[in-house]
Amino acid sequence: MSQVNAKKLLAAAVGVGAAWLIWRFLLKDRALNLLSAVGSLPATPRGARVMATGFANGQPMPLELESIGGGHYLALQAAGAYLAMERAALNQGVKLRLTESFRTVDQQKSLLARLGRYSEGGLASTAGYSPHQRGIAVDLDVGAGGQRGATGSNAAWRWLILNAHSYAFGRDPNEAWHWQWGGVGAWA
């Protein structure tokens, strides 16, 4: 039995919250501990699901992620919305190019070390506080060149400005590339 299937069986037997605690603290030497064992998620086929340790407001939480292709993952509802948005863009001749999605704590720490803390003029959130660690944010190539405060300049940017809200995605006003899922009606 794979580790992912074992974890799902454990969750069904004792509930998700208890399963996560058992998995994380009692079985972690043998578990698929995505936070510390590998530091990043394995590339899996689009639609495949994995369990990871996410973070919200600095607190760890179990998070089921869905592969959206290319080694990128989002939380389940955000993944469904992103994939629908991606299909709609493709149907109109626009390709959305992902550069970032879910990040483990190790990936967020590495990014913070390279780009600096957002609150100090850098481009990264403190580990545990990024919406990428909740699986609800993507960074897309929109032709902004990674410059804070810049606007996008390509077809993806123009399409997203007109349509992303229909899929409950909104953008950070200071980061043209950062698009965040907010749930049904969040950006209406």
Side-chain angles (χ1 to χ4, degrees):
M1 178 183 301
S2 77
Q3 292 176 348
V4 172
N5 287 338
K7 193 168 187 181
K8 286 182 179 179
L9 181 62
L10 183 62
V14 298
V16 173
W20 181 78
L21 291 173
I22 292 167
W23 197 257
R24 177 76 170 97
F25 295 106
L26 300 178
L27 303 175
K28 69 179 182 179
D29 291 335
R30 287 174 257 138
L32 178 62
N33 185 339
L34 296 172
L35 174 64
S36 60
V38 294
S40 63
L41 296 171
T44 60
R46 186 177 279 229
R49 293 183 178 181
V50 298
M51 291 299 294
T53 301
F55 281 83
N57 300 318
Q59 299 300 311
M61 62 181 190
L63 187 59
E64 188 171 9
L65 301 170
E66 181 175 331
S67 172
I68 55 174
H72 293 281
Y73 294 83
L74 287 174
L76 299 182
Q77 289 181 313
Y82 176 80
L83 291 171
M85 182 171 73
E86 181 184 60
R87 276 190 304 278
L90 275 174
N91 287 339
Q92 294 179 28
V94 176
K95 170 102 173 106
L96 301 181
R97 288 180 176 67
L98 281 162
T99 60
E100 293 280 335
S101 57
F102 173 79
R103 295 185 195 130
T104 66
V105 73
D106 290 340
Q107 290 169 324
Q108 189 66 31
K109 285 179 181 177
S110 175
L111 192 69
L112 182 63
R114 283 193 335 267
L115 300 178
R117 189 177 320 279
Y118 195 82
S119 62
E120 298 168 358
L123 292 173
S125 295
T126 301
Y129 292 88
S130 170
H132 288 280
Q133 292 183 271
R134 293 194 321 257
I136 61 169
V138 292
D139 291 347
L140 298 165
D141 176 3
V142 295
Q147 297 298 314
R148 198 171 179 178
T151 59
S153 62
N154 62 20
W157 166 259
R158 290 185 292 277
W159 190 92
L160 288 162
I161 288 296
L162 294 174
N163 299 288
H165 66 278
S166 297
Y167 302 91
F169 275 88
R171 78 171 191 95
D172 181 317
N174 293 310
E175 296 180 352
W177 58 87
H178 180 92
W179 294 80
Q180 187 168 314
W181 182 79
V184 177
W187 304 102

